[in-house]
Amino acid sequence: RRHAPQAPTPPGPSWLTGCVEVEKAIVYAERDGFRALELDVYRPGASPEGARPLLVYVHGGGWRVSHRSRPPRETRDWARGFFERLTDVGFVVAAPDYRLSAEAHFPAQIDDLVEALRWLHEHAGQLGVVPGRAQEVRGQSGGGRLAVGAGDGDERRRRCDQAPLAAEQLDV
């Protein structure tokens, strides 16, 4: 199976050092009878003062398998990884997990993602992201479907009261 060719890393701002700060396994929700739901946060290692834009990446896997730390298959051979490239251009990246289909029936996966978005919104200042700004939510495969489902305005308003977001399925 062939992977997408590695594109050169876009040139970053002058403050870019190539370092990425990663905070793993931050609990964003606990559901009775289920495992704690966690997310990882990737930040540019050295950035100027001020908040950064937030990009939320939702992993694929058909809602059956995979993990929040696994980037899209097509990017796994890149010398500079998927999450690192996103931080290179200035994003803070959050990668939440969600209950898989063997753990909970649909729409639990969307509920989990909406809860992660709510948590990220409430903790924006602590995470170094722009508070109140629309969040960019992207996902690969099944994660893309969840991103679109969580980004549906009517559905989102029904589930929580937050800033709007842009959502789409990511085809790398």
Side-chain angles (χ1 to χ4, degrees):
R1 190 170 183 119
R2 298 189 73 209
H3 294 285
Q6 180 175 344
T9 301
S14 59
W15 50 262
L16 181 64
T17 64
C19 296
V20 176
E21 295 175 6
V22 183
E23 211 174 329
K24 295 222 175 233
I26 302 168
V27 175
Y28 72 84
E30 296 187 49
R31 308 263 195 235
D32 288 340
F34 297 97
R35 63 185 165 86
L37 296 172
E38 301 172 335
L39 56 83
D40 298 338
V41 175
Y42 301 79
R43 293 185 193 90
S47 62
E49 295 290 323
R52 311 297 310 158
L54 175 65
L55 187 144
V56 180
Y57 170 73
V58 187
H59 72 81
W63 309 341
R64 296 176 297 112
V65 295
S66 202
H67 188 266
R68 66 184 180 272
S69 65
R70 290 193 50 99
R73 179 180 13 196
E74 298 83 2
T75 69
R76 292 182 193 152
D77 291 336
W78 290 359
R80 184 107 175 111
F82 176 74
F83 297 109
E84 290 80 7
R85 286 177 180 229
L86 292 171
T87 61
D88 285 351
V89 294
F91 284 104
V92 171
V93 180
D97 61 10
Y98 51 85
R99 290 173 289 174
L100 302 174
S101 59
E103 298 173 285
H105 295 287
F106 186 83
Q109 296 76 19
I110 291 177
D111 292 338
D112 294 346
L113 181 54
V114 167
E115 184 64 28
L117 296 173
R118 178 184 295 126
W119 188 94
L120 290 163
H121 179 75
E122 291 170 0
H123 295 87
Q126 296 166 262
L127 298 171
V129 301
V130 180
R133 182 172 173 179
Q135 300 164 334
E136 183 79 18
V137 182
R138 295 180 177 251
Q140 172 71 21
S141 187
R145 304 267 185 229
L146 294 178
V148 170
D152 175 356
D154 292 335
E155 184 70 12
R156 188 171 171 80
R157 277 190 289 284
R158 185 176 72 75
R159 293 171 190 264
C160 67
D161 181 27
Q162 281 188 34
L165 59 82
E168 67 181 60
Q169 183 165 338
L170 177 65
D171 292 318
V172 178

